[in-house]
């Protein structure tokens, strides 16, 4: 049943990416160049909406957010984020959108991004020990830090719990609503 649910939710997510044109590398690059902020508005609104729904679901007791995984923040994550961002800007696709693009008329771009991601993951796996010995993985280790104290297991920056998640979600949706269609013209 879990596998079927994962396939259905993945298919729905892929279809949503396709409908908002997030599988189109030209649209993604236009967003990154600040020429067409439609996708940025969709992304900000979706993150905000999900945050509000999670905080409400937790408040009424139907979802325990403490079961969500929190990743460690360290130098390896920061360097990986920079590499990811450069690749995203160069290719006009990221892991979620390249899999979605694989099923559209952007098949070649999606496939090349998937293969590139797998090669990058293999290279990282093979070099992990060496990079860790250099201090590039665990350097600047902040641990499993969260923005709001949603679990006693993790330290947080602000002590306002799920209300912080709710307020942040509302702010993201407000920014999405107020964001202009573009900042820079083509």
């Amino acid at each position: 049943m879990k596998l079927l649910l994962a396939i259905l939710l993945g298919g729905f997510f892929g279809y949503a990416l396709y409908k908002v044109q997030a599988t189109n590398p030209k649209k993604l690059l236009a967003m990154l160049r600040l020429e067409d902020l439609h996708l940025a508005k969709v992304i900000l609104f979706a993150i905000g909406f999900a945050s509000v729904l999670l905080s409400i679901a937790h408040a009424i007791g139907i979802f325990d957010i403490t079961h969500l995984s929190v990743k460690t923040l360290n130098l390896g994550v920061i360097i990986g984020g920079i590499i990811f961002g450069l690749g995203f800007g160069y290719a006009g696709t990221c892991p979620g959108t390249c899999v979605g693009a694989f099923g559209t008329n952007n098949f070649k771009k999606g496939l090349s991004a998937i293969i590139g991601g797998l090669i990058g993951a293999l290279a990282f796996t093979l070099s992990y020990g060496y990079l860790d010995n250099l201090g590039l993985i665990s350097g600047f280790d902040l641990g499993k830090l969260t923005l709001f104290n949603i679990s006693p297991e993790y330290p947080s920056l602000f002590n306002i719990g799920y209300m912080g998640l709710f307020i942040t979600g509302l702010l993201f949706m407000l920014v999405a609503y107020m964001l202009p269609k573009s900042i820079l013209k083509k």
Side-chain angles (χ1 to χ4, degrees):
M1 186 62 180
K2 285 184 180 181
L3 181 60
L4 179 62
L5 183 60
I7 291 170
L8 288 173
L9 289 175
F12 176 73
F13 183 66
Y15 180 73
L17 288 176
Y18 173 75
K19 286 305 280 183
V20 298
Q21 297 182 331
T23 59
N24 183 339
K26 290 178 184 174
K27 290 296 254 181
L28 285 165
L29 289 172
M31 176 190 71
L32 295 173
R33 291 182 186 126
L34 305 177
E35 297 168 349
D36 181 356
L37 298 179
H38 168 74
L39 284 176
K41 292 169 76 85
V42 170
I43 292 166
L44 283 170
F45 189 85
I47 292 169
F49 190 64
S51 297
V52 167
L53 288 180
L54 282 174
S55 63
I56 291 171
H58 177 74
I60 62 176
I62 61 173
F63 185 73
D64 184 6
I65 297 179
T66 60
H67 293 290
L68 296 176
S69 175
V70 175
K71 305 297 181 218
T72 301
L73 177 59
N74 57 44
L75 189 58
V77 171
I78 294 168
I79 292 170
I82 291 169
I83 293 169
F84 172 83
L86 291 172
F88 185 6
Y90 177 74
T93 190
C94 68
T97 62
C98 73
V99 173
F102 184 74
T104 69
N105 58 346
N106 294 307
F107 171 81
K108 289 180 185 177
K109 188 78 140 182
L111 181 61
S112 64
I114 291 169
I115 291 170
L118 292 172
I119 291 170
L122 176 64
F124 176 74
T125 301
L126 295 175
S127 62
Y128 182 85
Y130 176 75
L131 295 173
D132 193 30
N133 288 338
L134 291 177
L136 292 178
I137 302 297
S138 59
F140 189 68
D141 192 354
L142 295 177
K144 295 188 174 204
L145 182 68
T146 61
L147 193 56
F148 307 110
N149 58 331
I150 58 173
S151 171
E153 187 177 341
Y154 309 118
S156 61
L157 295 177
F158 303 103
N159 191 23
I160 55 177
Y162 295 97
M163 186 52 72
L165 185 63
F166 183 81
I167 292 168
T168 301
L170 290 178
L171 288 174
F172 270 54
M173 290 190 293
L174 180 64
V175 168
Y177 177 74
M178 297 182 72
L179 199 64
K181 291 183 179 182
S182 74
I183 294 175
L184 305 173
K185 299 292 180 192
K186 292 181 186 180

